[in-house]
Amino acid sequence: MSPALNGPGSFPGPVPESFPEPVSKSASDLPQGASARASSALVHGVASGVPADTPRTKGELTRAAILDAALAWSATEGIEGLTIGLLAERMHMSKSGVFAHFGSREDLQIAVVQAYHQRFVADVFLPAMQQPRGLPRLEALFANWVHRVTLEISQGCIYIGGAVEYDDRPGPVRAALIELVGIWRGALLRASQQAVECGHLAADTDPTQLVFEVCGLVLSLHHDARFLKLDGCTGRAHAGFARLVDSYRSSRG
Amino acid sequence: MSPALNGPGSFPGPVPESFPEPVSKSASDLPQGASARASSALVHGVASGVPADTPRTKGELTRAAILDAALAWSATEGIEGLTIGLLAERMHMSKSGVFAHFGSREDLQIAVVQAYHQRFVADVFLPAMQQPRGLPRLEALFANWVHRVTLEISQGCIYIGGAVEYDDRPGPVRAALIELVGIWRGALLRASQQAVECGHLAADTDPTQLVFEVCGLVLSLHHDARFLKLDGCTGRAHAGFARLVDSYRSSRG
């Protein structure tokens, strides 16, 4: 587990046992070691200081409500726009009341990134894992991702927005973002590799290149629909993916 | 000309006569009317209140130096991070000295976007126009763009960063960004259409879809190289483009 994910902001559970292990260090992989640490964090479960998915005590309910408000705020205004004072105002709480649940602004920001990841795993990753290994699973990962980004267009995606917010801002929030984005890309990479292993994609497919191109389609969807406010972007992302898969498909596929 | 480009922030010259006209309104086009207005602004030349490319007077030199500093700052920290006070400090000038050149913070921000566009036109668009119509020109537009984004990795691209900064922030800065990004996409669309007309790409090519996919490659390059700090992203963008063009190429191509 990386230092960024220690303490009050430790990685939330529950965690999928089948979340991908890192495969290679390349343009679609994580910075060295990050995937291994994150994967370990995922597999070995819920860390201290973070409530389980379903809040039970009054304190957990309050924390979950603060986190909901913080997530909504961060999606629209950016994670850097988040302050304890602002959240306290929104929640009609005192600042010390918010501090009791999140030790610092940075802990709160990391908790937001982790909560986003937890929802991403539940909405995008886990349902796709019900599909057979190989191309069906890769297609489901992509379709679920596009669906989620399409639903988020009015707010913005914390991963994509965060990438611009934290591209030049070192620190634990950036480290958490990089780690979690890397885990997601690891899942895409693993599914692409399995699609090759299963013979659904040509044997000479470069899975890292495929992931680079697939991520581009989703970045284009987010850019065009959210910034340019264009119509038809979801269809364009799907059409691009179908073209991409066709061009990588083996004759056996 | 849109209201956003009136006044002190009017569109800077010089302008390429061959900059593309809008072709259709779709996922790779501009919001309605924006391209026509911007294209007209480009074709009809230098508007009032903006100095020509080469500063001549001491006032113009000072303005150009302020703009340089503002561009560098905006690329790294974002356009919203720009203030008159900050620039004055950087330039060892008084705030009123900066105000004399840029009437307001918003005018300064719009001038930054326009100055960026002017450089983008000079570095990316104009050299590509030396190539023959069709695929050679489209390839040159892409290669020049990738080259520029690669050079900018340590700072960030104002168009790509601005898209996230201003996705939910209406106003003249967002309008200027949308207009200028749209002009660039219009150039890519026109080149793609010409590649079809010239028979370099298959007759059933959807140029708007092609532009959506091409832009995705550059967004992926920027994301992976700047945020994730991965190596080899420029090569991945080029490989993706070559694959894309192959898949759209006609048998005559």
Side-chain angles (χ1 to χ4, degrees):
Chain A
M1 186 177 287
S2 84
L5 298 179
N6 280 328
S10 296
F11 207 98
V15 291
E17 292 234 340
S18 47
F19 223 92
E21 290 293 333
V23 181
S24 67
K25 174 162 164 44
S26 61
S28 282
D29 267 326
L30 290 170
Q32 199 161 19
S35 178
R37 291 193 303 272
S39 207
S40 165
L42 275 162
V43 172
H44 296 300
V46 186
S48 60
V50 179
D53 260 349
T54 312
R56 290 160 192 271
T57 66
K58 190 181 165 207
E60 283 173 2
L61 282 168
T62 305
R63 188 185 190 278
I66 297 172
L67 208 47
D68 265 350
L71 255 175
W73 180 267
S74 301
T76 317
E77 303 296 330
I79 305 168
E80 273 301 299
L82 205 57
T83 65
I84 298 272
L86 184 99
L87 264 189
E89 203 180 303
R90 284 235 162 164
M91 301 294 296
H92 305 291
M93 291 171 71
S94 66
K95 281 172 76 167
S96 59
V98 177
F99 267 120
H101 294 276
F102 303 92
S104 68
R105 175 168 171 265
E106 198 170 81
D107 285 343
L108 170 64
Q109 290 170 320
I110 291 174
V112 161
V113 173
Q114 291 169 341
Y116 185 80
H117 178 70
Q118 207 169 27
R119 293 174 193 202
F120 194 95
V121 166
D123 293 351
V124 178
F125 174 74
L126 288 179
M129 295 307 283
Q130 307 303 313
Q131 296 297 317
R133 276 164 63 103
L135 194 52
R137 192 173 291 173
L138 179 63
E139 286 172 335
L141 287 170
F142 181 78
N144 296 350
W145 191 14
V146 163
H147 183 66
R148 188 181 166 93
V149 169
T150 302
L151 291 178
E152 284 175 337
I153 285 306
S154 63
Q155 309 150 359
C157 165
I158 282 182
Y159 282 166
I160 298 176
V164 168
E165 272 193 291
Y166 289 91
D167 53 8
D168 259 338
R169 204 186 292 271
V173 182
R174 176 184 155 81
L177 265 173
I178 296 241
E179 189 134 23
L180 299 178
V181 167
I183 289 176
W184 166 235
R185 290 163 69 96
L188 288 171
L189 185 65
R190 189 82 199 107
S192 303
Q193 288 167 325
Q194 290 172 346
V196 177
E197 287 159 17
C198 295
H200 300 153
L201 300 178
D204 65 352
T205 296
D206 175 352
T208 305
Q209 177 70 27
L210 173 57
V211 170
F212 179 89
E213 294 170 11
V214 163
C215 290
L217 293 172
V218 176
L219 289 169
S220 219
L221 158 63
H222 189 267
H223 179 276
D224 288 10
R226 183 154 166 76
F227 174 56
L228 299 180
K229 316 283 184 212
L230 297 179
D231 295 328
C233 304
T234 302
R236 297 229 168 266
H238 282 296
F241 184 79
R243 288 179 46 76
L244 206 59
V245 165
D246 266 354
S247 76
Y248 278 108
R249 203 189 291 268
S250 71
S251 55
R252 288 180 293 160
Chain B
M1 184 177 287
S2 82
L5 298 179
N6 280 329
S10 296
F11 207 95
V15 290
E17 293 234 339
S18 47
F19 221 92
E21 291 292 334
V23 182
S24 65
K25 174 163 164 39
S26 61
S28 281
D29 267 326
L30 289 171
Q32 200 163 17
S35 179
R37 291 191 304 269
S39 204
S40 165
L42 276 162
V43 171
H44 296 300
V46 186
S48 60
V50 178
D53 261 347
T54 313
R56 290 159 192 274
T57 67
K58 190 181 167 208
E60 284 173 0
L61 282 169
T62 306
R63 189 185 190 279
I66 298 172
L67 208 47
D68 266 349
L71 255 175
W73 180 266
S74 302
T76 315
E77 304 294 330
I79 304 168
E80 273 301 298
L82 204 59
T83 66
I84 297 272
L86 182 100
L87 264 189
E89 203 179 302
R90 283 234 162 165
M91 301 295 296
H92 306 290
M93 291 172 69
S94 66
K95 281 172 76 168
S96 60
V98 177
F99 268 119
H101 294 277
F102 302 92
S104 68
R105 175 170 173 263
E106 194 169 83
D107 286 344
L108 170 64
Q109 290 170 320
I110 291 173
V112 162
V113 173
Q114 292 169 340
Y116 184 81
H117 179 71
Q118 208 169 28
R119 293 175 194 198
F120 194 96
V121 167
D123 293 351
V124 179
F125 175 76
L126 288 179
M129 296 306 285
Q130 307 301 314
Q131 296 298 315
R133 276 164 63 103
L135 193 53
R137 191 174 293 172
L138 179 62
E139 286 172 335
L141 287 171
F142 181 78
N144 296 349
W145 190 13
V146 164
H147 183 66
R148 188 180 167 93
V149 169
T150 302
L151 291 179
E152 283 174 339
I153 285 304
S154 63
Q155 309 150 1
C157 166
I158 283 183
Y159 282 165
I160 296 174
V164 168
E165 271 193 293
Y166 289 91
D167 51 10
D168 258 338
R169 205 185 291 269
V173 181
R174 174 183 157 80
L177 265 174
I178 295 245
E179 191 133 22
L180 299 177
V181 167
I183 289 174
W184 166 236
R185 289 164 69 97
L188 288 171
L189 185 65
R190 188 84 199 105
S192 304
Q193 287 168 325
Q194 289 172 348
V196 177
E197 287 159 17
C198 294
H200 301 153
L201 298 179
D204 64 353
T205 297
D206 175 353
T208 305
Q209 177 71 27
L210 173 56
V211 170
F212 179 90
E213 294 169 10
V214 164
C215 289
L217 293 171
V218 177
L219 289 170
S220 219
L221 158 63
H222 189 268
H223 179 277
D224 288 9
R226 183 154 167 75
F227 174 55
L228 299 180
K229 316 285 184 209
L230 297 178
D231 295 328
C233 304
T234 302
R236 298 231 168 262
H238 282 296
F241 184 78
R243 288 179 44 78
L244 206 60
V245 165
D246 266 354
S247 76
Y248 278 109
R249 204 187 292 267
S250 72
S251 55
R252 289 178 295 163

